[in-house]
Each structure stands twice: as C-alpha cells, then as structure tokens.
C-alpha cells in the first residue's frame, strides 16, 4: 500500500470535509442508531454553516488522511476554549478520528493519531483527551492500545438519544518534548 499522507483542511475543502464527515460517521454509527437520529445528526453536525465556523476557528484544526490523492479519513482536534468539555489550556482534544470503512485496519487511524500527537507536542500541551461512545469497542481498543485511560463519562446526544461517552486521556511525558 502507498504511504498515507496528511494535509491540513482549509475552507476551500469544505465540500470534501462534509462528504467524508457524513460518510464516515454514517458507516460507523448507522447500524446502532435510528434512521431519524442519524439523519438529524448528519444534517446538523455536518452542515456547511457549522463546518465553516469550525474551519474558521483558529483553535480547531482538521487534517485529511490521503492515499494516492484520495481522502480516506480525517482528524479534528481542538485547543483551549474550543474544546467540547474540559477547555484546559494545557490539553488538546481529539474530537474526531474517522476513517472510511474500506481502509480501517490499514493504519490510517494510527497516522491521524500520530498527527494529533505531533500537534500536541507542537502546542506544548500536557495531555490529550477525547470522548468515545461506550459501545464503540473498536475505538476504545485503539485508544487503549495508544496509552489512553478512562477518567470520566459524559452524555453525547444523537438526535433524541442520550448516549454515554467514556472520556479518556493520555498524559504526554516530559521527555517526549525533546524529540
């Protein structure tokens, strides 16, 4: 397989971001949620207006994963007050790592995760955190394998369904900053 590249998403990429965002979210969660709740979330969560606001926010960063020029996944991280929960200036939130189903298990998520680590080190944060749906065992396993530990829970609303996310974090070691 070719090397997976990453590229920062810009406002001119909004249509591509909307497409990959909706497709990967649907592939990941449609089987476990009602069609109505999925439709509502995909419409609101990936609206052009919402994505434009996020792309224009200097504390939210998006990166595409590319294979041979094709967008196969993406990463969204938040810093400071743009974080969805903690809003700690010493942390970075991984809000989304999503990969097209056909490319899962091919290290794409790992490449995006490593991009998040690179950003965390660049911004000199102490730790990275995220929320992952308690039913998404595959993602929980991925983050656990990468050194994340659960520290809390919060509610994520998908349409009219309240779901529990496990909040996980990873403290960055002081010696990593030397790399």
């Amino acid at each position: 397989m070719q090397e997976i590249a990453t590229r920062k998403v810009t406002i001119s990429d909004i249509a591509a971001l909307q497409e990959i965002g909706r497709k990967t979210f649907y592939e990941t969660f449609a089987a476990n949620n009602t069609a109505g709740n999925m439709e509502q979330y995909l419409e609101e969560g990936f609206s052009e207006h919402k994505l434009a606001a996020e792309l224009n926010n200097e504390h939210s960063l998006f990166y595409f994963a590319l294979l041979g020029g094709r967008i196969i996944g993406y990463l969204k991280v938040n810093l400071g007050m743009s974080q969805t929960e903690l809003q700690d200036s010493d942390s970075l939130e991984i809000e989304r790592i999503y990969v097209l189903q056909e490319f899962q298990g091919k290290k794409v998520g790992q490449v995006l995760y490593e991009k998040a680590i690179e950003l965390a080190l660049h911004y000199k944060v102490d730790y990275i955190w995220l929320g992952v749906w308690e039913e998404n065992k595959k993602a929980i396993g991925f983050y656990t394998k990468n050194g994340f530990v659960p520290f809390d829970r919060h509610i994520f609303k998908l349409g009219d369904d309240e779901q529990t996310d496990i909040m996980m974090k990873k403290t960055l070691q002081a010696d990593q900053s030397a790399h």
Side-chain angles (χ1 to χ4, degrees):
M1 195 161 100
Q2 294 173 282
E3 189 173 326
I4 299 155
T6 59
R7 176 176 69 77
K8 191 168 195 249
V9 179
T10 67
I11 196 73
S12 63
D13 296 313
I14 196 163
L17 179 60
Q18 187 177 47
E19 183 181 339
I20 191 76
R22 285 180 172 161
K23 185 167 174 57
T24 54
F25 193 88
Y26 184 85
E27 286 180 346
T28 305
F29 299 113
N32 298 305
N33 292 282
T34 67
N37 283 343
M38 283 299 293
E39 192 175 312
Q40 181 184 348
Y41 188 83
L42 292 173
E43 197 57 42
E44 294 170 5
F46 297 98
S47 72
E48 194 171 315
H49 175 77
K50 185 173 192 301
L51 291 177
E54 291 175 342
L55 284 166
N56 284 319
N57 178 342
E58 65 180 325
H59 297 110
S60 291
L61 305 167
F62 289 85
Y63 286 83
F64 286 141
L66 303 155
L67 185 62
R70 178 180 173 197
I71 299 168
I72 59 171
Y74 76 105
L75 163 73
K76 180 185 182 199
V77 299
N78 299 309
L79 295 154
M81 297 306 286
S82 294
Q83 295 175 80
T84 59
E85 289 268 328
L86 301 180
Q87 300 171 337
D88 181 344
S89 61
D90 291 328
S91 70
L92 176 138
E93 173 191 17
I94 297 176
E95 186 176 348
R96 299 185 189 137
I97 291 182
Y98 284 101
V99 175
L100 289 171
Q101 218 160 37
E102 66 185 283
F103 292 98
Q104 289 181 7
K106 295 181 167 48
K107 305 288 183 212
V108 182
Q110 194 66 36
V111 168
L112 290 169
Y113 166 74
E114 287 165 10
K115 183 62 168 177
I117 292 290
E118 180 186 313
L119 291 165
L121 294 174
H122 172 78
Y123 287 102
K124 298 178 171 50
V125 299
D126 295 333
Y127 65 96
I128 300 177
W129 71 276
L130 53 90
V132 59
W133 187 31
E134 66 184 353
E135 300 299 323
N136 192 346
K137 304 300 184 204
K138 194 169 165 182
I140 292 168
F142 174 79
Y143 292 117
T144 301
K145 178 187 79 152
N146 278 293
F148 282 76
V149 294
F151 72 95
D152 203 352
R153 294 175 175 267
H154 72 162
I155 299 299
F156 176 81
K157 208 152 163 56
L158 186 76
D160 62 8
D161 188 19
E162 289 191 352
Q163 302 177 350
T164 302
D165 277 1
I166 297 170
M167 294 171 68
M168 302 180 80
K169 79 183 202 180
K170 176 178 182 170
T171 301
L172 299 175
Q173 303 304 318
D175 62 356
Q176 281 185 312
S177 60
H179 294 127

